[in-house]
Every structure is written in structure tokens, then in C-alpha cells.
Amino acid sequence: MSKKIIGLVGGSGHLGGLIAEALLDNPDVTLRLLVRSGSRAKVATLEARGAQVVEGALGNDPTVLDAFAEGTFAIVSAIQGGPDEIINGQTALLAAARRAGVRRLIP
């Protein structure tokens, strides 16, 4: 059985970090993180454990979100913020997930 790729947005935060650790503990999952370039150091431990890291932000170029979503089975969003992040960012994430054929999006 091949591993399922699970995408996680917000993995550098407290809740996202807990979700990331739990996903990395599952041998059937490959974890892919979307991380802002300034937050990459915060996920170094996760990356060392095997997480894939895509640098970008929800409001950036849609090709970054497309690259993040490509091949994922599901995407989990653990972001916090105002309307730009919560509504606009997750709407862009949803659009990328739909283009990539992602089966589940958990906002």
C-alpha cells in the first residue's frame, strides 16, 4: 500500500505542530507542509522527521498552492488570522485543492 500524502497548512503553529507530529507518527502518511519562508526554521524538526516542505503563503501565486496540493489525498488547515487568511486564503486553498483533485479539505 502506498503512503497517502496529507498536506498541512499552519504546521509552524501550536495546533498545527501537534497535528504534524501525529501525522508523522503514522507510517501510512507522508506529510507535506505549506510554510511561509520566514517560518521555515520553526518546522526544521518536522522536516528532519521526513516532512516535505513547500515554501509559500495562501495569498501568493496560485502555482505555489497548486504545487502544494498536487498529489495530496487530503489537506488540513490549522491557520489562524483575520479574514484575509481565514476566508480569502482558505478559498484560494480550496480552489487549488479542487484543481488537483484532492479528496478532502479540512478547514
Side-chain angles (χ1 to χ4, degrees), residues 44-58:
T45 303
L46 301 174
E47 192 171 12
R49 287 191 59 200
Q52 302 171 356
V53 176
V54 175
E55 284 192 23
L58 292 178

Side-chain angles (χ1 to χ4, degrees), residues 1 8 11 16-17 19 29 34 36 38 41 45 50 53 60 63 70-72 82 85 91 93 95 98 102 107:
M1 180 172 149
L8 175 61
I19 294 168
V29 169
L34 179 66
R36 292 176 288 189
T45 303
V53 176
N60 283 4
T63 58
E70 185 64 35
T72 61
E85 293 84 12
T91 299
L93 183 62
R98 292 178 91 180
V102 176

Side-chain angles (χ1 to χ4, degrees), residues 3-80:
K3 290 184 171 188
K4 290 185 178 168
I5 299 172
I6 306 297
L8 175 61
V9 182
S12 64
H14 180 71
L15 175 60
L18 294 172
I19 294 168
E21 292 288 345
L23 288 170
L24 285 169
D25 287 343
N26 185 330
D28 297 325
V29 169
T30 296
L31 177 62
R32 182 179 297 159
L33 302 168
L34 179 66
V35 178
R36 292 176 288 189
S37 59
S39 297
R40 182 133 190 185
K42 293 180 182 178
V43 298
T45 303
L46 301 174
E47 192 171 12
R49 287 191 59 200
Q52 302 171 356
V53 176
V54 175
E55 284 192 23
L58 292 178
N60 283 4
D61 181 353
T63 58
V64 172
L65 293 180
D66 288 343
F68 170 71
E70 185 64 35
T72 61
F73 174 79
I75 295 175
V76 179
S77 177
I79 62 169
Q80 59 181 340

